[in-house]
Structures are given as structure tokens and as C-alpha cells.
Amino acid sequence: MSHRLGISGRIASFFQAAQITPLLALVAFLLGVFAVLVTPREEEPQINVPMFDIMVPFYGAAPKEIEKHVVEVGERKLWEIPGVEYIYSVAYPNFAMFTVRFKVGTPPETAANLIYTKTLDNKDVFPRGAGEPLIKFRAIDDVPILALTLWGQGKDDYALRRVAAKIQTEINSVGNVSETRIIGGHKRQFIVHFDPASIARHRLTPMMLAGIIKMSNSSLPAGHYNKGDSMLLAETDAFIRSAEDLRNIVVGVYDGHPVKLSEVADISDGPDEEERSVTMVQGPASPSKAAPAQAVTLSVAKRRGANATMVARDILAKIETMKGREIPDGVNVTVTRNYGETAKAKSDE
């Protein structure tokens, strides 16, 4: 008994007998392999969720005053923006912070245009004394894909931060790196402690000294120099590079003699006084039983659409070439986050 084949049956019968079928299967297999190899691995979903931080300074005001005169007024205006889904606001001493989140799928360019237009057009609604609003764009790509923690027994966070700064400069040259940030440690800073009695004796004031120091640490144009068919621009090189440069700044004249900054103040070169710290603690599964140590973390974010696995691999390869040079002996670099590796593991699975 014979059965008449339908459309699907005739198509299947054709490919069962056709010699091109194995070739098509091979091409489909190769296309699948190619897609797996070239598709970017992502740990975070690549969706448009535009988010903005808006900081409005209001120096000298208490949180309750800022909440009443800045936060409440600002929220009313921000809710007028179409497409806004959430607004979070916090009143701190001296400033207010707004976080505005748009609906999923809103184009970032459209959201940025709406935020900037609304904020700048309504600066006059804030009370007198409020400063210029500062707007920062946030996106899913701002999440770091790689975190490198620098630590070493006997190394303080001031020295570790200086090593991290050198690594940061090198990593910024790696392709598809968008933002790097150093977390923890103390920055290098010149600290000037004025001597009130000496200042009064030389007829100076702290405000005068602060202005002189600021002017001495700036580069200014000093004309040009013509040489044949070319012209060279000249500028004063007055940047302060050491504590000794700071000590030798002339801040005034008293009794016919120049007065140096070292005569009216104590200058030190060392870490700043801000409180921020990172501690490296070895877990139970770690083969190393080292004691907790001061540390500094360097976080790295990638550009939108870049392959997290490839970016992380290139950065780690760069780190290996820096060991023994920018990274001195005794400084350990531990990978405490690697979204490129976890994304590859999920993709391979």
C-alpha cells in the first residue's frame, strides 16, 4: 500500500538522496563553531538601563535643610522627565545626591539629552548658595570585569598605591579598556602645616600663602621664540615636584629679606590623611597561610560590546610582563574578580 508524501516528506526525501546534504551539514557545523569562537562572552546582560548620578552641592547646609530645599524640589522636576522609572535621593551634609534610572530599553543618548536639558534648565529652582549640579552617567558597562588586588607582607598601602598607579597607566593602553580605578591606599601628598606665630611675625595670612602656593604650582605661557621658518612656544615650568621645591617658594618680603615657605610652615611629603583601606585575607581554601595584610585593589571595566574574556586575558598577559619591573619583588597581584573567566566557563558549559 503506497502513501502519497506531503510537502515535508518530499523535502526530506530529496535531502536523503541528495549528494549536497553532507556538505550542508558540514557547513552548518563549521558556522556553529565559528559563532561560538567569535561571539563575545559577557557576564552582565548587554541591555540599555541608563542611570545617572546628579550631585548638587550646598555648602554649609545641614541634611534636613538640604532635604527640604534641594531634594524635594529636585525630585519634583526629575519626575517630569518622560521614561524615568525610579529616583533615589539622599541628603548629606553640604550636598544632595540624586540617582535617576530610566526604563529598560531607553537609548542612552536620549536619556542623557533629557537629563542634561532638565537639570540645566531648572538650576534656578534651587536655593541661593547651591552650586553647579554635577551629572555622571552610569551603565551596565561600568561594572568592573577584572579586579586585581596588590598586597605583600611588610608593604604598606601607601607604597602599594604607587605601584598600582604604575600598573594603571600600563593597563589603560590595553585595547577595549574603558575605565580603571584604584580602591584603597593613601595618595602621595605634600602637607603644609602653618606656624601661626611665624605667619603673624612676617605679616602674612593663611589665605595669602594658599594663593601663592597655588600660583606657584601652575604653568603659564611665556611667549614664543622664532627660529627660521618655525616658531617655538615657551611656557614657565613651575610645577612643584618635591617637598624641597615647596620649601623654597618665596611667599613674601620682610625687613628687606625674602621669606621662604619653609620659614613660616612645616612641609612633609607623604600619604594623605583620608580614611580608606583594603585588607587582603586568605580564606580556608587558600594554600597560602599568610596573615591579613594591607592591600590596594585596581578595578578594570571594558568598552561596550567588547569580549570580556579577551580583554581580561590581554590584561593578565600585560601584568605578567610587568613583574620584576613596575611590579617589584615582594608585591603579589591576586585576581579577586574575573568576569571574563566566569563568562567563558558558562559559555563553554
Side-chain angles (χ1 to χ4, degrees):
M1 182 176 179
S2 61
H3 296 280
R4 183 168 181 157
L5 296 176
I7 296 177
S8 300
R10 290 197 297 271
I11 294 175
S13 177
F14 169 78
F15 279 103
Q16 284 179 347
Q19 296 180 353
I20 198 175
T21 301
L23 180 60
L24 291 176
L26 179 61
V27 170
F29 174 76
L30 293 177
L31 287 175
V33 172
F34 177 75
V36 170
L37 293 176
V38 302
T39 300
R41 273 76 163 175
E42 299 285 357
E43 183 73 17
E44 302 292 341
Q46 289 301 298
I47 56 177
N48 286 328
V49 189
M51 187 180 299
F52 297 84
D53 288 339
I54 306 173
M55 191 191 78
V56 181
F58 194 9
Y59 299 110
K64 282 191 173 294
E65 185 180 0
I66 291 176
E67 181 181 5
K68 180 178 179 180
H69 298 290
V70 179
V71 171
E72 293 181 2
V73 175
E75 283 186 347
R76 286 199 301 268
K77 291 297 179 182
L78 291 172
W79 274 119
E80 296 175 2
I81 301 174
V84 170
E85 187 171 17
Y86 295 105
I87 295 178
Y88 311 93
S89 57
V90 183
Y92 294 98
N94 299 316
F95 72 95
M97 177 67 76
F98 301 90
T99 300
V100 182
R101 202 183 88 185
F102 284 78
K103 294 179 180 178
V104 176
T106 303
E109 296 79 10
T110 302
N113 185 44
L114 292 171
I115 281 287
Y116 276 87
T117 301
K118 177 62 72 173
T119 303
L120 299 180
D121 283 351
N122 290 276
K123 289 191 298 182
D124 58 330
V125 302
F126 294 122
R128 181 175 297 178
E132 188 79 13
L134 175 64
I135 304 173
K136 295 199 71 174
F137 174 69
R138 303 292 183 188
I140 198 72
D141 292 294
D142 293 331
V143 177
I145 64 163
L146 191 66
L148 306 171
T149 300
L150 282 68
W151 61 282
Q153 295 299 326
K155 302 288 185 180
D156 59 27
D157 56 2
Y158 174 58
L160 291 171
R161 188 178 178 95
R162 300 187 70 173
V163 175
K166 295 178 182 178
I167 299 176
Q168 184 183 34
T169 302
E170 294 295 327
I171 289 180
N172 285 334
S173 64
V174 176
N176 290 319
V177 170
S178 66
E179 183 181 5
T180 55
R181 183 185 175 196
I182 300 176
I183 304 170
H186 292 275
K187 300 178 182 177
R188 183 188 181 193
Q189 188 178 67
F190 297 128
I191 303 174
V192 180
H193 295 281
F194 295 138
D195 182 354
S198 183
I199 289 177
R201 185 172 63 254
H202 290 90
R203 298 179 181 178
L204 299 169
T205 65
M207 292 299 294
M208 292 172 57
L209 295 176
I212 293 171
I213 293 172
K214 184 177 180 180
M215 292 179 60
S216 300
N217 194 35
S218 59
S219 179
L220 300 174
H224 60 273
Y225 172 68
N226 293 321
K227 184 178 180 181
D229 296 334
S230 61
M231 180 178 69
L232 300 176
L233 298 178
E235 61 180 21
T236 59
D237 184 13
F239 290 116
I240 298 172
R241 294 182 172 85
S242 66
E244 193 62 29
D245 294 340
L246 197 56
R247 294 188 183 97
N248 291 327
I249 293 176
V250 177
V251 295
V253 177
Y254 178 74
D255 197 19
H257 299 284
V259 180
K260 295 182 178 180
L261 184 60
S262 58
E263 299 179 45
V264 295
D266 292 327
I267 296 96
S268 60
D269 180 359
D272 62 16
E273 298 176 351
E274 290 189 31
E275 292 293 335
R276 51 176 178 265
S277 63
V278 174
T279 303
M280 184 67 179
V281 181
Q282 303 293 335
S286 174
S288 173
K289 302 302 180 183
Q294 293 184 350
V296 171
T297 295
L298 177 62
S299 64
V300 185
K302 67 175 185 63
R303 292 178 182 171
R304 183 176 182 83
N307 190 327
T309 301
M310 302 295 290
V311 175
R313 186 197 65 183
D314 293 344
I315 292 172
L316 295 178
K318 188 78 170 179
I319 293 295
E320 290 299 321
T321 63
M322 298 172 65
K323 291 182 177 179
R325 299 187 294 116
E326 289 85 356
I327 304 175
D329 296 335
V331 175
N332 304 302
V333 180
T334 301
V335 180
T336 49
R337 172 188 290 178
N338 188 348
Y339 277 4
E341 182 179 2
T342 56
K344 183 178 183 302
K346 293 175 183 178
S347 174
D348 292 345
E349 183 180 357

